């Protein structure tokens, strides 16, 4: 049972309002160590500089999409085991399958509730405290 305050998290989304919504949702669940990036390239730089425990990434982004980010994270030794939740605007079965093939731990469909986010996180980390 990991303490949410100890899970270092990176949010990667090109929409500032979505990053803020995810941040607020995580904070409601007790997360404290949260940083963000506005696209996949900035997200990858952040991962390389300081690998997080969790990445929540949008799929559709400029410069490097979520799938490209996931592949790069899995190929980067220090972050290869980082939990990765793919965020998508629709329940695209093919996208979800491709993300799982490349090592995504779970996915979340926008819009989402705090309860749905918690459920997805608990499938990755177990019961959160």
């Amino acid at each position: 049972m990991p303490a949410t305050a100890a899970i270092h998290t990176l949010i990667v989304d090109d929409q500032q309002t979505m990053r803020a919504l995810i941040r607020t949702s995580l904070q409601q669940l007790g997360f404290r160590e949260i940083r963000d990036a506005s696209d996949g390239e900035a997200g990858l730089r952040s991962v390389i500089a300081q690998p997080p425990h969790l990445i929540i990434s949008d799929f559709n982004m400029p410069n490097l999409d979520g799938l490209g980010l996931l592949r790069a994270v899995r190929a980067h030794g220090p972050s290869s085991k980082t939990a990765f939740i793919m965020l998508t605007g629709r329940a695209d079965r093919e996208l979800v399958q491709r993300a799982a093939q490349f090592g995504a731990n779970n996915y979340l469909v926008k819009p989402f509730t705090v309860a749905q986010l918690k459920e997805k996180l608990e499938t990755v980390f177990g019961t959160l405290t």
Side-chain angles (χ1 to χ4, degrees), residues 23-36:
R23 176 183 293 276
T24 300
S25 299
L26 288 168
Q27 288 171 334
Q28 288 177 24
L29 295 172
F31 285 74
R32 295 292 170 254
E33 296 294 327
I34 306 167
R35 58 188 202 267
D36 62 42

Side-chain angles (χ1 to χ4, degrees), residues 47-125:
V47 167
I48 291 169
Q50 181 184 5
H53 300 118
L54 169 66
I55 298 170
I56 299 175
S57 176
D58 190 21
F59 177 74
N60 291 308
M61 296 181 291
N63 301 323
L64 182 65
D65 68 16
L67 202 55
L69 175 61
L70 172 60
R71 292 175 72 178
V73 165
R74 290 295 177 248
H76 179 250
S79 64
S80 64
K81 300 296 184 198
T82 295
F84 199 108
I85 296 178
M86 188 68 72
L87 193 59
T88 180
R90 61 194 181 288
D92 184 334
R93 182 183 213 122
E94 182 181 326
L95 165 63
V96 169
Q97 289 173 341
R98 288 180 64 208
Q101 276 182 314
F102 289 114
N105 298 89
N106 213 324
Y107 70 96
L108 184 63
V109 178
K110 297 184 279 189
F112 61 88
T113 64
V114 174
Q116 290 168 324
L117 175 60
K118 182 179 184 191
E119 179 183 309
K120 297 293 183 173
L121 291 167
E122 287 186 338
T123 65
V124 175
F125 292 105

